[in-house]
Amino acid sequence: MSKKSFPLSKVYGLLEPAPVVMVTTALEGRSNIMTMSWYTMMEFEPPTVGCIISNRNHTFNILKKTRECVINIPTLELARKIVGCGNSSGRKIDKFKVFGLTETAVAGDTIKLPSKMK
Ligand SMILES: Cc1cc2nc3c(=O)[nH]c(=O)nc-3n(C[C@H](O)[C@H](O)[C@H](O)COP(=O)(O)O)c2cc1C
């Protein structure tokens, strides 16, 4: 077996075995959803996930205020909507409506956010 060189700009794709996830947040009755792949497990007990969320994202601003979010693991058939949610901002549009996710948003059990995606 021989080693191969890859362009550095492509290497991250090989280091990313975990699924892309969807972060849902809510502020003043308006929910938002953002695509995220920069996260990692930090601790087993209590289960802790570390995330990198850009301060240019609307999600960042909501999180700063509410300190609450849900991490949703989407299914493959949502792939196009996931790309859409990762290339548009809740600052300008209601992504649940635009990408037809309203039907899949189910109220959370312990916090007031959409927490499940069918
Ligand atoms: C596959 C994929 C993965 C992404 N991962 C992240 C991430 O880990 N952190 C981040 O800040 N933005 C990430 N983004 C970009 C955000 O989803 C994007 O900036 C989005 O428009 C933010 O939405 P918001 O302004 O409604 O919060 C990703 C986008 C895609 C398509």
Side-chain angles (χ1 to χ4, degrees):
M1 194 195 301
S2 62
K3 287 193 173 192
K4 287 184 187 167
S5 286
F6 287 94
L8 280 180
S9 62
K10 304 276 180 206
V11 166
Y12 74 93
L14 302 171
L15 297 174
E16 248 178 344
V20 168
V21 296
M22 305 304 286
V23 179
T24 46
T25 49
L27 181 65
E28 291 160 6
R30 250 195 93 192
S31 301
N32 192 36
I33 182 163
M34 182 200 110
T35 308
M36 179 175 78
S37 57
W38 285 349
Y39 65 92
T40 189
M41 285 303 297
M42 308 276 287
E43 181 58 279
F44 293 112
E45 212 44 69
T48 308
V49 179
C51 310
I52 296 178
I53 296 179
S54 166
N55 61 6
R56 283 177 291 182
N57 290 336
H58 188 47
T59 299
F60 178 91
N61 294 319
I62 300 175
L63 274 172
K64 284 267 280 185
K65 290 184 181 134
T66 64
R67 309 186 82 79
E68 277 192 346
C69 72
V70 171
I71 295 176
N72 308 266
I73 302 175
T75 49
L76 187 59
E77 58 268 27
L78 293 173
R80 280 183 190 280
K81 298 179 183 201
I82 291 164
V83 173
C85 289
N87 286 283
S88 57
S89 180
R91 218 177 267 119
K92 296 189 177 155
I93 58 167
D94 179 342
K95 289 192 245 183
F96 281 92
K97 276 197 186 139
V98 171
F99 297 109
L101 291 165
T102 314
E103 295 298 311
T104 60
V106 179
D109 297 330
T110 54
I111 61 176
K112 302 177 200 74
L113 293 172
S115 75
K116 293 175 190 159
M117 298 176 75
K118 286 178 198 156

